[in-house]
């Protein structure tokens, strides 16, 4: 395996780093509150970064999300690329790809996902009913990808549903989604094809598993960036903050805590890279995605707590940017399954003999 970025991936990563660094500042994040930074999202779309994901693959997306995580930039980049661009590209019909991919790429269509929830019922004419308590970025989305009780995937326009504001630990512009005989569009085919028996059900399950694994891998990459940003801020703070005439960074306890956080961050990064690389290469990656999700949850929790601790009392000050890494890290810890949940799922997959080599 080779995780060295291609020329296109490296160029996209560098461009993303510049845009996030220039626009996702402490002052702009403070002004945005818990909502989306519309100006930053516009800049990313005009630069062609969401559209580029179709060419640079999941590994390229992970590289871009690392840059977002470093600055905790408040845009639905991960959600729209995973639940929109990559999901439609891999599992949408030809008509859906032609209609939706250009609009997702230029940002006029924003997709989020109500996964892994599968509490939506499907009526005989394809109308959907049910509720999903929390959907990240729902307040900014034009479409939401939902899963029915049999794990079939449907695209729903948010204007056709009821969306109510919900606040999360992290400022992810979230909402509660309520469907009441709401029209839905099956991802990848017509309603008749979706109700076409065991083969159609198996195809729907395969699409659901792939989208969920892709999401876990992508958000693990985002967590790697969040943790890297937290560690970088802690290193800067402990090198400049003095106690008894010496920088905090000269104390062995501080060095060991920072070193552990760095190693945890690298573990999150490399497992996300491996899962993403395997998907791009067309290899089985189900267990690798779960491994990345486990590291993102368990190690991510440790890293952002260490970042807060190394900042001392300053870490509790909302005027200091490190608190955002803590909030994002804790949210990502639980999103798409906390560590114990994904570990149980990984164990079951291995026992059943369905895990990849």
């Amino acid at each position: 395996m080779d995780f060295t970025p291609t020329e296109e991936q490296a160029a996209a990563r560098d461009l993303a780093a510049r845009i996030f660094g220039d626009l996702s500042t402490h002052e702009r994040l403070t002004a945005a509150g818990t909502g989306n930074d519309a100006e930053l999202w516009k800049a990313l779309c005009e630069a062609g970064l969401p559209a580029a994901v179709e060419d640079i693959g999941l590994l390229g997306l992970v590289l871009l999300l690392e840059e977002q995580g470093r600055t905790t930039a408040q845009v639905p980049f991960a959600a729209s690329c995973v639940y929109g661009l990559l999901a439609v590209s891999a599992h949408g019909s030809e008509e859906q790809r032609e209609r939706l991919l250009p609009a997702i790429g230029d940002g006029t269509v924003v997709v989020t996902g109500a996964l892994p929830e599968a509490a939506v019922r499907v009526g005989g004419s394809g109308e959907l009913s049910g509720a999903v308590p929390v959907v990240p970025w729902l307040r900014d989305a034009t479409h939401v990808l939902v899963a029915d009780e049999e794990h079939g995937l449907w695209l729903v326009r948010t204007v056709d549903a009821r969306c109510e504001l919900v606040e999360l630990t992290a400022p992810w512009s979230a909402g509660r989604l309520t469907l009441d005989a709401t029209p839905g569009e099956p991802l990848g085919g017509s309603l008749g094809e979706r109700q076409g028996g065991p083969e159609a059900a198996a195809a729907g399950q395969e699409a659901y598993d792939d989208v969920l694994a892709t999401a876990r891998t992508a958000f693990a990459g985002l967590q790697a960036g969040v943790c890297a940003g937290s560690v970088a801020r802690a290193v800067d703070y402990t090198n400049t903050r003095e106690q008894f005439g010496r920088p905090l960074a000269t104390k062995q306890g501080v060095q060991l805590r920072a070193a552990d956080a760095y190693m945890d961050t690298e573990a999150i990064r490399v497992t996300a890279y491996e899962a993403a690389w395997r998907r791009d290469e067309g290899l089985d990656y189900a267990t690798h995605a779960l491994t990345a999700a486990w590291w993102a949850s368990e190690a991510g929790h440790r890293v952002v707590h260490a970042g807060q601790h190394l900042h001392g009392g300053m870490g509790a000050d909302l005027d200091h940017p490190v608190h955002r890494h803590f909030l994002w890290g804790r949210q990502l810890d639980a999103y798409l399954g906390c560590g114990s949940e994904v570990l149980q799922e990984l164990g079951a997959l291995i026992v059943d003999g369905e895990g990849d080599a």
Side-chain angles (χ1 to χ4, degrees), residues 12 18 20 23 61 82 96 123 164 177-178 189 201-202 212 238 247 261 274 283-284 294 297 338 342 347 349 352:
R18 186 163 65 250
F20 285 128
L23 295 181
L61 175 59
V82 168
Q96 286 173 332
E164 303 165 270
L177 177 71
T178 303
L212 181 56
T238 56
E274 182 176 11
L283 303 172
D284 291 336
W294 183 83
S297 176
C338 67
V342 297
L349 197 64
D352 291 341

Side-chain angles (χ1 to χ4, degrees), residues 3-328:
F3 303 150
T4 304
T6 64
E7 185 177 335
E8 293 79 7
Q9 289 171 338
R13 178 197 59 197
D14 294 344
L15 178 58
R18 186 163 65 250
I19 295 174
F20 285 128
D22 289 344
L23 295 181
S24 187
T25 62
H26 177 55
E27 294 74 20
R28 288 178 58 83
L29 289 169
T30 300
T34 63
N36 176 31
D37 187 335
E39 183 179 343
L40 174 56
W41 180 241
K42 180 181 179 181
L44 292 167
C45 293
E46 289 180 346
L49 288 174
V53 172
E54 193 174 1
D55 296 321
I56 62 178
L58 182 55
L59 180 56
L61 175 59
V62 166
L63 294 172
L64 302 184
L65 293 178
E66 276 193 84
E67 301 306 324
Q68 178 185 2
R70 291 180 201 276
T71 59
T72 60
Q74 292 174 200
V75 287
F77 195 35
S80 199
C81 287
V82 168
Y83 302 120
L85 193 141
L86 290 178
V88 173
S89 177
H91 305 290
S93 65
E94 182 177 352
E95 186 277 331
Q96 286 173 332
R97 292 194 295 270
E98 291 177 354
R99 170 167 49 90
L100 292 172
L101 290 181
I104 297 171
D106 65 23
T108 54
V109 167
V110 176
V111 185
T112 189
L115 274 65
E117 297 285 350
V120 174
R121 301 178 302 279
V122 183
S125 301
E127 67 277 5
L128 306 174
S129 298
V132 182
V134 176
V135 181
W137 303 109
L138 182 64
R139 281 139 54 189
D140 301 305
T142 60
H143 294 70
V144 56
L145 188 69
V146 302
D148 63 33
E149 294 174 314
E150 296 182 355
H151 287 172
L153 296 177
W154 301 75
L155 281 168
V156 175
R157 298 192 310 163
T158 53
V159 295
D160 296 329
R162 187 163 78 249
C163 305
E164 303 165 270
L165 184 148
V166 172
E167 296 295 354
L168 300 181
T169 300
W172 284 5
S173 193
R176 173 185 173 86
L177 177 71
T178 303
L179 306 175
D180 185 9
T182 303
E185 177 184 356
L187 184 67
S190 67
L191 178 62
E193 292 171 335
R194 178 56 51 85
Q195 298 174 335
E199 291 186 2
Q205 182 67 51
E206 181 180 350
Y208 173 88
D209 290 342
D210 177 59
V211 172
L212 181 56
T214 299
R216 282 171 165 161
T217 303
F219 281 95
L222 184 61
Q223 181 75 300
V226 169
C227 291
S230 178
V231 171
R233 292 188 186 281
V235 168
D236 180 68
Y237 179 79
T238 56
N239 272 288
T240 56
R241 173 73 166 139
E242 293 189 357
Q243 188 178 65
F244 306 117
R246 297 173 57 196
L248 288 174
T250 62
K251 299 181 181 296
Q252 188 178 47
V254 171
Q255 294 172 359
L256 291 173
R257 192 77 190 276
D260 285 342
Y262 173 79
M263 293 303 296
D264 271 337
T265 301
E266 289 301 296
I268 300 170
R269 175 182 288 116
V270 73
T271 52
Y273 282 8
E274 182 176 11
W277 176 83
R278 289 183 67 90
R279 183 186 188 275
D280 290 344
E281 292 295 314
L283 303 172
D284 291 336
Y285 74 110
T287 57
H288 297 79
L290 286 167
T291 301
W294 183 83
W295 275 104
S297 176
E298 294 289 312
H301 178 102
R302 291 193 296 266
V303 171
V304 296
H305 273 261
Q308 288 287 105
H309 189 194
L310 291 173
H311 277 79
M314 190 64 70
D317 185 354
L318 296 184
D319 289 330
H320 195 286
V322 74
H323 80 278
R324 294 192 182 88
H325 296 271
F326 180 81
L327 296 178
W328 279 63

